[in-house]
Amino acid sequence: MAISCKIMLLGFCVFGLVSLVSSANFSELFEPSWALDHVAYDGEQLKLKLDNYSGAGFGSKSKYMFGKTTVQIKLVEGDSAGTVTAFYMSSDGPNHNEFDFEFLGNTTGEPYLVQTNIYINGVGNREQRLSLWFDPSKDFHAYSILWNQHQVVFLVDETPIRVYTNKEKKGVPFPKDQAMGIYSSIWNADDWATQGGRVKTDWSHAPFVASYKGFDINGCECPVSTNVVDNAKKCSSTQGKYWWDQPVMAELNLHQSHQLMWVQAKHMIYDYCTDTSRFPVTPAECEHRRW
């Protein structure tokens, strides 16, 4: 729905803009997508369960182009080795775009790792891995993806942990023409998720449960019946009609830039941009990067 509102987002106050807002409980925005018997409701919380029979997942009822989506997640407690809990946006088809949060479980006492990845026109291989500055299994934390024509920003409790900047002028592809659904799932990935697959899932600790609350989508809803070109026109504006098209949303502010540099200096474990064994030639989007 279109409303006039005051929004605090990424440290900026934006007044009187037209915004397309969806903020509601789970059933208004999302629905279980597979293994319904492994999806449980507990008051305002949703729980996804993984055991040696199945994982589970859910997805948004609509697709969106540009905006911000947030969910609060409490990850699997205790020994979560071999498990992956994902929160991501994705379009459809072999040439899809996708923005991934993947939380890689670990043995008891070892920290969770967060892997982010970006697919553009069906091509991924843009992984970064970080440790977190808290235990994500002890309480709920907010995980967000901000997307506009200028940048894709991954945030944890409003702290940016990764930015993918639009460098189309330098010949680098940028995802801006495909509407995306919003998804989450938990599954067994013990062939790679924990210490490169060396530590396997201990099913004696099952079921593994990820808990969710605080579902929020603030973006441009795209009807399935509308074609790609019309959706792109509808969801972007050179006149600053939407909050995500405002000049202040084109890049991080100084404080956020410092936050990002701190995260990547103190918590970065792996960055594809510096992996010369995989990429002898530095990927184009990594060149001249400030962090």
Side-chain angles (χ1 to χ4, degrees), residues 127-252:
E127 300 93 345
Q128 289 184 354
R129 287 190 185 184
L130 303 103
S131 60
L132 290 168
W133 50 96
F134 54 84
D135 184 342
S137 70
K138 297 302 182 185
D139 204 353
F140 286 91
H141 292 269
Y143 303 95
S144 306
I145 300 170
L146 168 72
W147 174 35
N148 60 28
Q149 297 181 82
H150 306 286
Q151 58 182 353
V152 179
V153 185
F154 294 80
L155 303 108
V156 176
D157 291 333
E158 292 303 307
T159 297
I161 65 167
R162 180 175 186 174
V163 174
Y164 186 88
T165 304
N166 187 337
K167 295 183 179 179
E168 287 182 306
K169 292 182 179 179
K170 297 182 178 180
V172 179
F174 185 80
K176 66 174 188 180
D177 60 354
Q178 298 182 36
M180 293 185 168
I182 301 162
Y183 307 94
S184 189
S185 58
I186 184 171
W187 78 95
N188 179 45
D190 66 3
D191 57 331
W192 65 271
T194 304
Q195 298 180 30
R198 290 187 294 274
V199 181
K200 303 299 182 181
T201 304
D202 184 347
W203 294 109
S204 69
H205 294 153
F208 304 98
V209 178
S211 302
Y212 299 78
K213 66 178 184 178
F215 302 93
D216 186 88
I217 302 172
N218 187 333
C220 184
E221 187 172 357
C222 296
V224 175
S225 58
T226 305
N227 65 45
V228 169
V229 174
D230 289 341
N231 275 331
K233 290 180 179 178
K234 169 191 172 185
C235 296
S236 60
S237 169
T238 57
Q239 289 78 39
K241 179 180 178 181
Y242 304 116
W243 62 260
W244 52 82
D245 289 327
Q246 290 297 298
V248 294
M249 303 308 301
E251 61 183 4
L252 303 185

Side-chain angles (χ1 to χ4, degrees), residues 10-11 158-160 252-261:
L10 283 179
E158 292 303 307
T159 297
L252 303 185
N253 64 26
L254 183 61
H255 174 64
Q256 293 155 352
S257 296
H258 289 163
Q259 287 181 311
L260 178 61
M261 287 187 283

Side-chain angles (χ1 to χ4, degrees), residues 97-138:
N97 297 332
E98 185 174 331
F99 312 141
D100 297 335
F101 272 107
E102 293 177 312
F103 303 94
L104 312 182
N106 219 325
T107 53
T108 302
E110 295 295 320
Y112 259 90
L113 298 182
V114 180
Q115 176 168 285
T116 59
N117 199 0
I118 296 172
Y119 285 75
I120 304 173
N121 298 325
V123 179
N125 298 322
R126 297 179 175 91
E127 300 93 345
Q128 289 184 354
R129 287 190 185 184
L130 303 103
S131 60
L132 290 168
W133 50 96
F134 54 84
D135 184 342
S137 70
K138 297 302 182 185

